[in-house]
Coordinates of all heavy atoms in Angstrom, one line a residue:
L50 N -6.0 0.8 12.1 CA -5.2 0.2 13.2 C -6.1 0.1 14.4 O -6.4 1.1 15.0 CB -3.9 1.0 13.5 CG -2.8 1.0 12.5 CD1 -3.1 1.9 11.3 CD2 -1.5 1.4 13.2
F51 N -6.5 -1.2 14.7 CA -7.3 -1.4 15.9 C -6.3 -1.8 17.0 O -5.4 -2.6 16.9 CB -8.2 -2.6 15.7 CG -9.4 -2.2 14.8 CD1 -9.5 -2.8 13.5 CD2 -10.4 -1.4 15.2 CE1 -10.6 -2.5 12.7 CE2 -11.5 -1.1 14.4 CZ -11.6 -1.6 13.1
I52 N -6.5 -1.2 18.2 CA -5.7 -1.6 19.4 C -6.7 -2.1 20.5 O -7.5 -1.3 21.0 CB -4.9 -0.3 20.0 CG1 -3.9 0.2 18.9 CG2 -4.2 -0.7 21.2 CD1 -4.4 1.2 18.0
D53 N -6.5 -3.4 20.8 CA -7.4 -4.0 21.8 C -6.7 -3.7 23.2 O -5.7 -4.3 23.5 CB -7.5 -5.5 21.6 CG -8.3 -6.2 22.6 OD1 -8.8 -5.5 23.5 OD2 -8.5 -7.4 22.6
D54 N -7.3 -2.8 23.9 CA -6.8 -2.3 25.2 C -7.3 -3.2 26.4 O -8.0 -2.7 27.2 CB -7.1 -0.9 25.4 CG -6.4 -0.3 26.6 OD1 -5.4 -0.8 27.0 OD2 -6.8 0.8 27.1
G55 N -6.9 -4.5 26.3 CA -7.2 -5.4 27.5 C -8.7 -5.8 27.5 O -9.2 -6.0 28.6
S56 N -9.3 -6.1 26.4 CA -10.7 -6.5 26.4 C -10.8 -8.0 26.9 O -9.9 -8.8 26.8 CB -11.2 -6.5 25.0 OG -11.2 -5.2 24.4
D57 N -11.9 -8.2 27.6 CA -12.2 -9.6 28.1 C -13.4 -10.2 27.4 O -14.0 -11.1 27.9 CB -12.3 -9.6 29.6 CG -13.3 -8.7 30.1 OD1 -14.2 -8.2 29.3 OD2 -13.3 -8.4 31.3
D58 N -13.8 -9.6 26.3 CA -14.9 -10.2 25.5 C -14.4 -10.6 24.1 O -13.2 -11.0 24.0 CB -16.1 -9.2 25.3 CG -15.7 -7.9 24.6 OD1 -14.5 -7.8 24.2 OD2 -16.5 -7.1 24.4
A59 N -15.1 -10.6 23.1 CA -14.7 -11.1 21.8 C -14.1 -10.0 20.9 O -14.0 -10.2 19.7 CB -15.9 -11.8 21.1
T60 N -13.8 -8.9 21.5 CA -13.3 -7.8 20.7 C -12.0 -8.2 19.8 O -12.0 -7.9 18.6 CB -12.9 -6.6 21.6 OG1 -14.1 -6.1 22.2 CG2 -12.3 -5.5 20.7
W61 N -11.1 -8.9 20.5 CA -9.9 -9.3 19.7 C -10.2 -10.3 18.6 O -9.6 -10.2 17.5 CB -8.9 -9.9 20.7 CG -7.6 -10.4 20.0 CD1 -7.1 -11.7 20.0 CD2 -6.7 -9.6 19.3 NE1 -6.0 -11.7 19.3 CE2 -5.7 -10.5 18.8 CE3 -6.6 -8.3 19.0 CZ2 -4.6 -10.0 18.1 CZ3 -5.5 -7.8 18.2 CH2 -4.5 -8.7 17.8
E62 N -11.1 -11.2 18.8 CA -11.5 -12.1 17.8 C -12.1 -11.4 16.6 O -11.9 -11.8 15.4 CB -12.5 -13.2 18.3 CG -11.9 -14.3 19.2 CD -11.3 -13.8 20.5 OE1 -11.8 -12.8 21.0 OE2 -10.3 -14.4 21.0
K63 N -12.9 -10.4 16.9 CA -13.5 -9.6 15.8 C -12.4 -8.8 15.0 O -12.5 -8.7 13.8 CB -14.5 -8.6 16.4 CG -15.8 -9.3 17.0 CD -16.6 -10.0 16.0 CE -17.8 -10.6 16.6 NZ -18.8 -9.6 17.1
M64 N -11.4 -8.3 15.7 CA -10.3 -7.6 15.1 C -9.6 -8.6 14.2 O -9.2 -8.3 13.0 CB -9.4 -7.0 16.1 CG -10.0 -5.8 16.9 SD -8.8 -5.2 18.1 CE -9.8 -3.8 18.8
K65 N -9.3 -9.8 14.7 CA -8.6 -10.8 13.9 C -9.3 -11.2 12.6 O -8.8 -11.3 11.6 CB -8.3 -12.0 14.7 CG -7.2 -11.8 15.8 CD -6.7 -13.1 16.3 CE -7.8 -13.9 17.0 NZ -7.2 -15.2 17.6
A66 N -10.7 -11.3 12.8 CA -11.5 -11.7 11.6 C -11.4 -10.6 10.6 O -11.3 -10.8 9.4 CB -12.9 -11.9 12.1
L67 N -11.5 -9.3 11.0 CA -11.4 -8.2 10.1 C -10.0 -8.2 9.4 O -9.9 -7.9 8.2 CB -11.6 -6.9 10.8 CG -13.1 -6.5 11.1 CD1 -13.1 -5.3 12.0 CD2 -13.9 -6.3 9.9
Y68 N -9.0 -8.5 10.1 CA -7.6 -8.5 9.5 C -7.5 -9.6 8.5 O -7.0 -9.3 7.4 CB -6.6 -8.8 10.6 CG -5.2 -9.1 10.1 CD1 -4.4 -8.2 9.5 CD2 -4.8 -10.5 10.1 CE1 -3.2 -8.5 8.9 CE2 -3.6 -10.8 9.6 CZ -2.8 -9.9 9.0 OH -1.6 -10.2 8.4
H69 N -8.0 -10.8 8.8 CA -7.9 -11.9 7.8 C -8.8 -11.6 6.5 O -8.4 -12.0 5.4 CB -8.3 -13.2 8.4 CG -7.3 -13.7 9.4 ND1 -6.0 -14.0 9.1 CD2 -7.4 -13.9 10.8 CE1 -5.4 -14.4 10.2 NE2 -6.2 -14.4 11.2
A70 N -9.9 -10.9 6.7 CA -10.7 -10.5 5.6 C -10.2 -9.4 4.8 O -10.5 -9.2 3.6 CB -12.1 -10.2 6.1
N71 N -9.4 -8.5 5.5 CA -8.9 -7.3 4.8 C -7.4 -7.0 5.2 O -7.1 -6.0 5.8 CB -9.7 -6.1 5.2 CG -11.2 -6.2 5.1 OD1 -11.8 -6.0 4.0 ND2 -11.9 -6.7 6.1
P72 N -6.5 -8.0 4.8 CA -5.1 -7.9 5.2 C -4.4 -6.6 4.7 O -3.4 -6.2 5.3 CB -4.5 -9.2 4.7 CG -5.4 -9.6 3.6 CD -6.8 -9.1 3.9
S73 N -4.9 -6.1 3.6 CA -4.2 -4.9 3.1 C -4.7 -3.6 3.7 O -4.1 -2.5 3.5 CB -4.4 -4.8 1.6 OG -5.8 -4.6 1.3
R74 N -5.8 -3.7 4.5 CA -6.4 -2.5 5.1 C -6.3 -2.5 6.6 O -6.2 -1.4 7.2 CB -7.9 -2.4 4.7 CG -8.2 -2.4 3.3 CD -8.0 -1.0 2.7 NE -8.5 -0.8 1.4 CZ -8.2 0.2 0.6 NH1 -7.3 1.1 1.0 NH2 -8.7 0.3 -0.6
V75 N -6.4 -3.6 7.2 CA -6.5 -3.7 8.7 C -5.2 -4.2 9.3 O -4.6 -5.1 8.9 CB -7.7 -4.6 9.1 CG1 -7.8 -4.8 10.6 CG2 -9.0 -4.1 8.5
R76 N -4.9 -3.5 10.4 CA -3.8 -4.0 11.3 C -4.4 -4.0 12.7 O -5.2 -3.2 13.1 CB -2.6 -3.1 11.2 CG -2.0 -3.0 9.8 CD -1.1 -1.8 9.6 NE 0.2 -2.1 10.4 CZ 1.1 -1.1 10.6 NH1 0.9 0.1 10.1 NH2 2.2 -1.4 11.3
A77 N -4.0 -5.0 13.5 CA -4.5 -5.1 14.9 C -3.4 -5.4 15.9 O -2.5 -6.2 15.6 CB -5.6 -6.2 14.9
F78 N -3.6 -4.8 17.0 CA -2.6 -5.0 18.1 C -3.3 -5.2 19.4 O -4.3 -4.6 19.7 CB -1.7 -3.7 18.3 CG -1.1 -3.3 17.0 CD1 -1.7 -2.4 16.1 CD2 0.2 -3.7 16.7 CE1 -1.1 -2.0 14.9 CE2 0.8 -3.3 15.5 CZ 0.1 -2.5 14.6
R79 N -2.8 -6.2 20.2 CA -3.5 -6.6 21.4 C -2.5 -6.3 22.6 O -1.4 -6.8 22.7 CB -3.9 -8.0 21.4 CG -4.7 -8.4 22.6 CD -5.0 -9.9 22.5 NE -6.1 -10.3 23.5 CZ -6.5 -11.6 23.7 NH1 -5.9 -12.6 23.0 NH2 -7.4 -11.8 24.6
L80 N -3.0 -5.4 23.5 CA -2.2 -5.2 24.7 C -2.5 -6.2 25.8 O -3.6 -6.8 25.8 CB -2.6 -3.8 25.3 CG -2.3 -2.6 24.3 CD1 -2.7 -1.3 25.0 CD2 -0.9 -2.5 23.9
R81 N -1.5 -6.5 26.6 CA -1.6 -7.6 27.6 C -2.6 -7.3 28.7 O -3.2 -8.2 29.2 CB -0.2 -7.8 28.3 CG 0.9 -8.3 27.3 CD 2.2 -8.5 28.0 NE 3.2 -8.8 27.1 CZ 3.5 -10.0 26.6 NH1 2.7 -11.1 26.9 NH2 4.5 -10.3 25.7
K82 N -2.9 -6.0 28.9 CA -3.9 -5.6 29.9 C -4.4 -4.3 29.5 O -4.0 -3.7 28.5 CB -3.3 -5.6 31.3 CG -2.3 -4.6 31.5 CD -1.9 -4.5 33.0 CE -0.9 -3.3 33.3 NZ -0.6 -3.1 34.7
N83 N -5.3 -3.7 30.3 CA -5.8 -2.4 30.0 C -4.8 -1.4 30.5 O -4.7 -1.1 31.7 CB -7.2 -2.2 30.8 CG -7.8 -0.8 30.6 OD1 -8.1 -0.2 31.5 ND2 -7.9 -0.4 29.3
F84 N -4.1 -0.7 29.6 CA -3.2 0.3 29.9 C -3.7 1.7 29.8 O -3.1 2.6 30.3 CB -2.0 0.2 28.9 CG -1.0 -0.9 29.2 CD1 -1.2 -2.2 28.6 CD2 0.0 -0.8 30.1 CE1 -0.3 -3.2 28.9 CE2 0.9 -1.8 30.4 CZ 0.7 -3.1 29.8
G85 N -4.9 1.8 29.2 CA -5.5 3.2 29.1 C -5.4 3.7 27.7 O -4.6 3.3 26.9
K86 N -6.3 4.7 27.4 CA -6.4 5.2 26.1 C -5.1 5.9 25.6 O -4.8 5.7 24.4 CB -7.6 6.2 26.1 CG -7.9 6.7 24.7 CD -9.2 7.5 24.7 CE -9.6 8.0 23.3 NZ -10.9 8.8 23.3
S87 N -4.4 6.6 26.5 CA -3.2 7.3 26.0 C -2.2 6.3 25.5 O -1.5 6.5 24.5 CB -2.7 8.1 27.2 OG -3.5 9.2 27.4
Q88 N -2.0 5.2 26.3 CA -1.0 4.2 25.9 C -1.4 3.5 24.6 O -0.5 3.3 23.7 CB -0.8 3.2 27.0 CG 0.3 2.2 26.7 CD 1.7 2.8 26.8 OE1 1.9 3.8 27.5 NE2 2.6 2.3 26.0
A89 N -2.7 3.3 24.4 CA -3.2 2.6 23.2 C -3.0 3.6 22.0 O -2.5 3.1 20.9 CB -4.6 2.3 23.3
L90 N -3.3 4.8 22.2 CA -3.1 5.8 21.1 C -1.6 5.9 20.8 O -1.2 6.0 19.6 CB -3.6 7.2 21.5 CG -5.1 7.3 21.5 CD1 -5.5 8.7 22.0 CD2 -5.7 7.1 20.1
N91 N -0.7 6.0 21.8 CA 0.7 6.1 21.5 C 1.2 4.9 20.7 O 2.1 5.1 19.8 CB 1.4 6.2 22.9 CG 2.7 6.9 22.8 OD1 2.9 7.9 22.0 ND2 3.7 6.4 23.5
L92 N 0.7 3.7 21.0 CA 1.1 2.5 20.3 C 0.7 2.7 18.8 O 1.5 2.4 17.9 CB 0.5 1.3 20.9 CG 0.7 0.0 20.0 CD1 2.1 -0.4 19.9 CD2 -0.1 -1.1 20.7
G93 N -0.6 3.1 18.6 CA -1.1 3.3 17.3 C -0.3 4.3 16.5 O 0.0 4.1 15.3
F94 N 0.0 5.4 17.2 CA 0.8 6.5 16.5 C 2.2 6.0 16.0 O 2.7 6.4 15.0 CB 1.0 7.7 17.4 CG -0.3 8.4 17.7 CD1 -0.3 9.3 18.9 CD2 -1.4 8.3 16.9 CE1 -1.5 10.0 19.1 CE2 -2.5 9.1 17.2 CZ -2.6 9.9 18.3
S95 N 2.8 5.1 16.8 CA 4.1 4.6 16.5 C 4.1 3.6 15.4 O 5.1 3.3 14.7 CB 4.8 4.0 17.7 OG 4.1 2.8 18.1
K96 N 2.9 3.0 15.1 CA 2.8 2.0 14.1 C 2.2 2.4 12.8 O 2.3 1.8 11.7 CB 2.0 0.8 14.6 CG 2.6 0.1 15.9 CD 3.8 -0.6 15.5 CE 4.3 -1.4 16.7 NZ 5.6 -2.1 16.5
C97 N 1.5 3.6 12.8 CA 0.8 4.0 11.6 C 1.8 4.5 10.5 O 2.8 5.0 10.8 CB -0.2 5.1 11.9 SG 0.5 6.6 12.5
A98 N 1.3 4.4 9.3 CA 2.1 4.7 8.1 C 1.6 5.9 7.3 O 2.3 6.4 6.4 CB 2.3 3.5 7.2
G99 N 0.4 6.4 7.7 CA -0.2 7.5 6.9 C 0.4 8.8 7.1 O 1.0 9.1 8.2
D100 N 0.2 9.7 6.1 CA 0.6 11.1 6.2 C -0.4 11.8 7.1 O -0.1 12.9 7.7 CB 0.7 11.7 4.9 CG 1.7 11.1 4.0 OD1 2.8 10.9 4.4 OD2 1.4 10.7 2.8
L101 N -1.6 11.4 7.1 CA -2.7 11.9 8.0 C -3.1 10.8 8.9 O -3.2 9.6 8.6 CB -3.9 12.4 7.2 CG -3.6 13.5 6.1 CD1 -4.9 13.9 5.4 CD2 -2.9 14.7 6.7
V102 N -3.5 11.2 10.1 CA -3.9 10.2 11.2 C -5.2 10.6 11.8 O -5.3 11.7 12.3 CB -2.8 10.1 12.3 CG1 -3.3 9.0 13.3 CG2 -1.5 9.7 11.7
F103 N -6.2 9.7 11.7 CA -7.5 9.9 12.3 C -7.5 9.1 13.6 O -7.0 8.0 13.7 CB -8.6 9.4 11.4 CG -9.5 10.4 10.8 CD1 -9.5 10.6 9.4 CD2 -10.3 11.2 11.6 CE1 -10.3 11.5 8.8 CE2 -11.2 12.1 11.0 CZ -11.1 12.3 9.6
T104 N -8.1 9.7 14.6 CA -8.4 8.9 15.8 C -9.9 9.0 16.1 O -10.5 10.1 15.8 CB -7.7 9.4 17.1 OG1 -8.0 10.8 17.4 CG2 -6.2 9.3 16.9
M105 N -10.5 7.9 16.5 CA -11.9 8.0 16.9 C -12.2 6.8 17.9 O -11.4 5.9 17.9 CB -12.8 7.9 15.7 CG -12.8 6.6 14.9 SD -13.9 6.5 13.5 CE -13.3 7.8 12.5
D106 N -13.3 7.0 18.7 CA -13.6 5.9 19.6 C -14.3 4.8 18.8 O -14.8 5.0 17.7 CB -14.6 6.5 20.7 CG -13.9 7.5 21.6 OD1 -12.6 7.4 21.7 OD2 -14.6 8.4 22.1
A107 N -14.3 3.6 19.4 CA -14.8 2.4 18.8 C -16.3 2.1 19.1 O -16.8 1.1 18.6 CB -14.0 1.2 19.2
D108 N -17.0 3.0 19.8 CA -18.3 2.8 20.3 C -19.4 3.2 19.3 O -20.6 3.2 19.7 CB -18.5 3.4 21.7 CG -18.2 4.9 21.7 OD1 -18.1 5.5 20.6 OD2 -18.0 5.4 22.8
L109 N -19.0 3.8 18.2 CA -20.0 4.3 17.2 C -20.7 5.5 17.6 O -21.7 5.9 16.9 CB -21.0 3.2 16.8 CG -20.4 2.0 16.0 CD1 -21.5 0.9 15.8 CD2 -19.9 2.5 14.6
Q110 N -20.3 6.1 18.7 CA -20.9 7.4 19.0 C -20.4 8.5 18.1 O -21.1 9.5 17.8 CB -20.7 7.8 20.5 CG -21.5 6.9 21.4 CD -21.5 7.4 22.9 OE1 -20.7 7.0 23.6 NE2 -22.4 8.2 23.2
D111 N -19.1 8.4 17.7 CA -18.6 9.2 16.6 C -19.1 8.7 15.3 O -19.1 7.5 15.1 CB -17.0 9.2 16.7 CG -16.5 9.8 18.0 OD1 -17.2 10.7 18.6 OD2 -15.4 9.4 18.4
D112 N -19.4 9.6 14.4 CA -20.0 9.3 13.1 C -18.9 9.3 12.0 O -18.4 10.4 11.6 CB -21.1 10.2 12.8 CG -22.0 9.7 11.7 OD1 -21.6 8.9 10.9 OD2 -23.2 10.1 11.7
P113 N -18.6 8.1 11.4 CA -17.6 8.1 10.3 C -18.1 8.9 9.1 O -17.2 9.3 8.2 CB -17.5 6.6 9.9 CG -17.9 5.9 11.2 CD -19.0 6.8 11.8
D114 N -19.4 9.3 9.0 CA -19.8 10.1 7.9 C -19.2 11.5 7.9 O -19.2 12.2 6.9 CB -21.3 10.3 7.9 CG -22.1 9.0 7.6 OD1 -21.4 8.0 7.2 OD2 -23.3 8.9 7.9
E115 N -18.6 11.9 9.1 CA -17.9 13.2 9.2 C -16.5 13.2 8.6 O -15.9 14.3 8.5 CB -17.8 13.6 10.7 CG -19.1 13.5 11.5 CD -19.9 14.8 11.2 OE1 -19.5 15.7 10.5 OE2 -21.0 15.0 11.9
I116 N -16.0 12.1 8.2 CA -14.6 12.0 7.7 C -14.3 13.0 6.6 O -13.3 13.7 6.7 CB -14.3 10.5 7.3 CG1 -14.2 9.6 8.5 CG2 -13.0 10.5 6.5 CD1 -14.1 8.1 8.2

Side-chain angles (χ1 to χ4, degrees):
L50 287 76
F51 288 110
I52 297 92
D53 181 1
D54 189 20
S56 299
D57 55 15
D58 62 359
T60 297
W61 178 242
E62 283 67 28
K63 295 294 181 68
M64 291 180 181
K65 288 196 296 182
L67 284 171
Y68 166 74
H69 290 301
N71 308 274
S73 64
R74 300 284 192 195
V75 175
R76 301 166 67 191
F78 306 88
R79 188 181 192 184
L80 300 180
R81 297 182 185 277
K82 66 172 187 176
N83 177 235
F84 284 93
K86 188 173 182 179
S87 289
Q88 186 67 31
L90 286 174
N91 205 39
L92 171 62
F94 291 161
S95 69
K96 299 293 185 180
C97 64
D100 299 311
L101 304 182
V102 180
F103 250 114
T104 61
M105 64 178 66
D106 295 332
D108 54 18
L109 289 174
Q110 290 191 268
D111 296 331
D112 195 333
D114 292 348
E115 305 279 2
I116 290 172

